[in-house]
Amino acid sequence: TNGNLLSEFMEKDKSSYYTTQTQLDQQRQQEKELEKKLQGLLAATIGAGRFVARVSIEMDFNKRDIMREEYSDTPVLRSQYTVETTQNSKGDMPKGIPGVEPNLAEPDQLIDNIMTEFAKSEETQNFEISKVVTQEQKTSGEIRRLTVSVVVDDRPEQTQNAGVLTITKQARTDDELNRIRTAVASAVGFNATRGDVVDVTNISFDTSQQVVEEVTQEKEKTMEWIASAAKYLGAIVILILFYFAMVRPILKRIDATRDLDEEMSGESAIDAQIAGLDIMPVGSESGFPKTLDDLEREIESELDESTPLDVESVKSKVMLKKIEEAANEDPEMIAN
């Protein structure tokens, strides 16, 4: 709508901006999740609208590769090498060169055919110190420090005096605040080693604006109800006026026309029965009586058939002729 380029972060010179924006979005998302947890917890214990909870997270977005070597205090024997030498001799033995015997590491050699013995033992042990090598890779987005601030309203108390219910506010005790602080710390995963801070404060909320909004809403609802009732009442009045001004006169005119048609239809039927002729009443399919020529042809056919002449029949035909003349003079009256 505003013409902003959504793919702007894909440009190379905008990569750092995109990374920073992504980190901020991640931080805000975690803050919103913790605030949602607090709202669910406090709404069930304190009541909706009686607290304000905000969470601030300090995150570490640095990426690290850590390699650590740990050595054990107790050495471990890797190999051992042992050599033992024993020598027995009898009789005269070489005495060696004078002056050398004191420098030898062997025992004194006796003379005069006395037996001598020599023993030698060597042992070599190789030890190694055990070690543990740990390679750890830490991704970005680790919580470095967490700060939670919760402000709670005074505790409402209801008192009833002479049937009148009164609601008053009382400041919360330190014990209540400590319990709320403990619950909040558990909900957000408080870590003292990390340096997290959880603060719970009791402040009396200003509800004057809320009262004004409630009164305004009540007035708006009342006006909406009045407008709706007036709309329906106006529609009813319009229908009544339309009935008396338009529908009722039309109905009266239709009734008068129907009565006139019934009278004329009745007279024509009687005359036709008297005359013994097939005459269609006014208002039938043709809507008009037979013409004089038709009547004359019928009379001629009757005479040709040697039908006896009926005076009443001729009288009826003359009457029909006068009705036709009246219809020509005043068609509206005949149509009614």
Side-chain angles (χ1 to χ4, degrees), residues 232-304:
Y232 289 110
L233 183 60
I236 295 173
V237 171
I238 291 174
L239 289 176
I240 294 174
L241 294 176
F242 177 76
Y243 173 78
F244 284 102
M246 300 293 294
V247 177
R248 190 174 180 183
I250 293 175
L251 292 177
K252 287 183 178 181
R253 185 176 300 175
I254 292 175
D255 291 338
T257 304
R258 186 182 297 112
D259 294 338
L260 182 60
D261 290 341
E262 291 177 356
E263 292 177 359
M264 295 184 66
S265 298
E267 294 176 355
S268 300
I270 293 172
D271 295 338
Q273 291 177 0
I274 294 173
L277 299 176
D278 185 13
I279 300 174
M280 300 181 65
V282 177
S284 61
E285 293 180 358
S286 62
F288 296 97
K290 295 182 179 180
T291 63
L292 184 59
D293 295 336
D294 295 335
L295 295 176
E296 291 177 351
R297 281 194 294 269
E298 288 182 3
I299 293 172
E300 291 176 357
S301 64
E302 291 176 358
L303 294 176
D304 293 338

Side-chain angles (χ1 to χ4, degrees), residues 42-55:
L42 297 176
T45 55
I46 300 177
R50 299 190 179 278
F51 66 91
V52 177
R54 293 293 181 268
V55 178

Side-chain angles (χ1 to χ4, degrees), residues 312-325:
E312 295 295 333
S313 175
V314 175
K315 187 185 299 184
S316 299
K317 293 177 181 179
V318 173
M319 186 183 298
L320 288 175
K321 181 179 178 181
K322 291 184 176 294
I323 293 174
E324 183 181 359
E325 293 175 354

Side-chain angles (χ1 to χ4, degrees), residues 80-141:
Q80 183 175 354
Y81 178 72
T82 304
V83 177
E84 293 183 357
T85 303
T86 303
Q87 181 179 357
N88 296 324
S89 60
K90 293 182 179 181
D92 296 337
M93 298 180 63
K95 305 301 186 295
I97 301 175
V100 177
E101 183 178 355
N103 296 325
L104 296 177
E106 300 170 350
D108 295 338
Q109 297 181 356
L110 302 179
I111 57 175
D112 298 333
N113 295 326
I114 298 175
M115 183 179 64
T116 61
E117 293 181 357
F118 171 73
K120 183 179 180 180
S121 177
E122 293 182 1
E123 183 177 1
T124 302
Q125 293 180 344
N126 296 323
F127 291 90
E128 280 190 357
I129 300 176
S130 62
K131 67 177 180 179
V132 178
V133 179
T134 304
Q135 186 173 0
E136 182 180 359
Q137 184 177 8
K138 288 188 176 182
T139 59
S140 60

Side-chain angles (χ1 to χ4, degrees), residues 143-319:
I143 297 178
R144 182 183 299 172
R145 190 167 179 267
L146 182 66
T147 304
V148 181
S149 177
V150 179
V151 179
V152 296
D153 192 10
D154 294 338
R155 183 179 64 256
E157 292 187 357
Q158 298 181 357
T159 57
Q160 190 170 5
N161 187 11
V164 179
L165 184 62
T166 305
I167 300 177
T168 59
K169 289 186 176 183
Q170 299 292 333
R172 299 185 183 271
T173 62
D174 294 338
D175 186 36
E176 287 180 309
L177 296 178
N178 289 332
R179 290 201 300 268
I180 295 173
R181 186 179 296 106
T182 302
V184 170
S186 300
V188 299
F190 176 79
N191 188 353
T193 305
R194 195 169 52 193
D196 296 349
V197 177
V198 175
D199 181 58
V200 179
T201 307
N202 176 214
I203 298 177
S204 180
F205 287 3
D206 183 11
T207 58
S208 58
Q209 184 64 26
Q210 183 179 358
V211 173
V212 173
E213 291 179 356
E214 291 178 356
V215 173
T216 304
Q217 290 178 358
E218 290 294 333
K219 290 182 179 180
E220 290 179 353
K221 290 181 180 179
T222 304
M223 294 302 295
E224 289 179 0
W225 183 84
I226 293 174
S228 179
K231 180 174 64 177
Y232 289 110
L233 183 60
I236 295 173
V237 171
I238 291 174
L239 289 176
I240 294 174
L241 294 176
F242 177 76
Y243 173 78
F244 284 102
M246 300 293 294
V247 177
R248 190 174 180 183
I250 293 175
L251 292 177
K252 287 183 178 181
R253 185 176 300 175
I254 292 175
D255 291 338
T257 304
R258 186 182 297 112
D259 294 338
L260 182 60
D261 290 341
E262 291 177 356
E263 292 177 359
M264 295 184 66
S265 298
E267 294 176 355
S268 300
I270 293 172
D271 295 338
Q273 291 177 0
I274 294 173
L277 299 176
D278 185 13
I279 300 174
M280 300 181 65
V282 177
S284 61
E285 293 180 358
S286 62
F288 296 97
K290 295 182 179 180
T291 63
L292 184 59
D293 295 336
D294 295 335
L295 295 176
E296 291 177 351
R297 281 194 294 269
E298 288 182 3
I299 293 172
E300 291 176 357
S301 64
E302 291 176 358
L303 294 176
D304 293 338
E305 295 176 358
S306 300
T307 304
L309 183 61
D310 188 359
V311 178
E312 295 295 333
S313 175
V314 175
K315 187 185 299 184
S316 299
K317 293 177 181 179
V318 173
M319 186 183 298

